[in-house]
Amino acid sequence: MSMPTVFVSHGAPTLILQESPARTFLASLGQLLPRPKAIVAVSAHWDTDVPAVSLARRPDTIHDFYGFPDALYRLRYAAPGAPELAERVARLTGAAHDAHRGLDHGAWVPAMLGWPEADIPIFQLSVQPEQDPAHHIALGRKLSALREEDILVMGSGSATHNLRALVRGGAASEPEPWAREFDDWLVDTVEKGDEAALADYRARAPNAVDAHPTDEHFLPLHVAYGAAGEGARGRALHRSFTLGNLSMASYAFG
């Protein structure tokens, strides 16, 4: 059985400290999936002009945020890197090398919840916000053979991501219609495996500009979808909202 690819919504960095349906789901991820030999993490928080891979043998835990509780900055995820696999991914994709890049919170938060033992090698592949979703589907497709080797491609971003529309301090607030409509469109489109619609979501999805004023948090989904191979379909693993309009939906593709 091939390893599925996944897209997870990682939320705010404090997700790892605060109980929520999305945290509970991510903490079950290691049990829901076959155990991977390694993880290729595609995080919204590493963006480059051209694809790049991280080659660090012992990736640092990057605390790429400000003004959060001290407990968050004390967390460390001590998983090993996978420089040889990263080199191979670079050859497959034409990616540049970054010898020192660690794990940003888009990578280490879901990894720490899903695989808390930190014993699975992990490294990052960057996204290119100046490129369109079709570029990222094609980027992911170059990784599709990794599924047969029990290597997990994990996109990490957000199913909706409009920071101005968040309800601060309102974790249980109901999402506005625009957010729910986009979220419903996404699950339907993913389940159909409609590549054309995913690639052209700005024109085809309802409320796309409200759901994603910028692309970077959505592009990891396109990479994960592409990495599942031609004709892939997806299924929702989890759906919830937090802070009003922030969708925490996560998907598996295969």
Side-chain angles (χ1 to χ4, degrees), residues 11-177:
T14 48
L15 173 81
I16 201 163
L17 300 178
Q18 299 169 347
E19 291 301 322
S20 68
R23 186 192 188 282
T24 299
F25 159 71
L26 287 172
S28 74
L29 197 57
Q31 286 71 54
L32 290 175
L33 300 173
R35 179 177 171 83
K37 291 181 180 176
I39 299 171
V40 184
V42 185
S43 167
H45 293 279
W46 189 21
D47 60 88
T48 55
D49 292 336
V50 298
V53 294
S54 55
L55 300 177
R57 289 195 174 275
R58 290 286 171 185
D60 291 334
T61 303
I62 303 173
H63 298 89
D64 52 333
F65 40 77
Y66 304 94
F68 286 94
D70 288 344
L72 200 54
Y73 299 95
R74 292 195 291 269
L75 294 177
R76 296 290 184 276
Y77 190 62
E84 292 80 12
L85 178 58
E87 287 271 16
R88 182 177 163 205
V89 167
R91 291 193 297 272
L92 289 170
T93 62
H97 298 169
D98 188 314
H100 306 294
R101 173 79 184 188
L103 302 174
D104 62 55
H105 78 274
W108 67 259
V109 167
M112 182 177 282
L113 287 168
W115 299 275
E117 297 84 1
D119 56 355
I120 296 174
I122 182 171
F123 68 97
Q124 288 194 224
L125 171 67
S126 66
V127 296
Q128 293 74 62
E130 298 304 315
Q131 299 284 348
D132 62 13
H135 161 88
H136 290 82
I137 293 172
L139 177 64
R141 198 142 287 156
K142 294 174 183 178
L143 306 178
S144 59
L146 300 181
R147 298 178 59 217
E148 307 304 324
E149 302 173 37
D150 296 328
I151 295 166
L152 176 65
V153 176
M154 179 181 72
S156 178
S158 193
T160 64
H161 192 260
N162 185 336
L163 298 184
R164 291 186 177 183
L166 300 185
V167 182
R168 306 289 180 176
S173 298
E174 284 295 311
E176 293 178 69

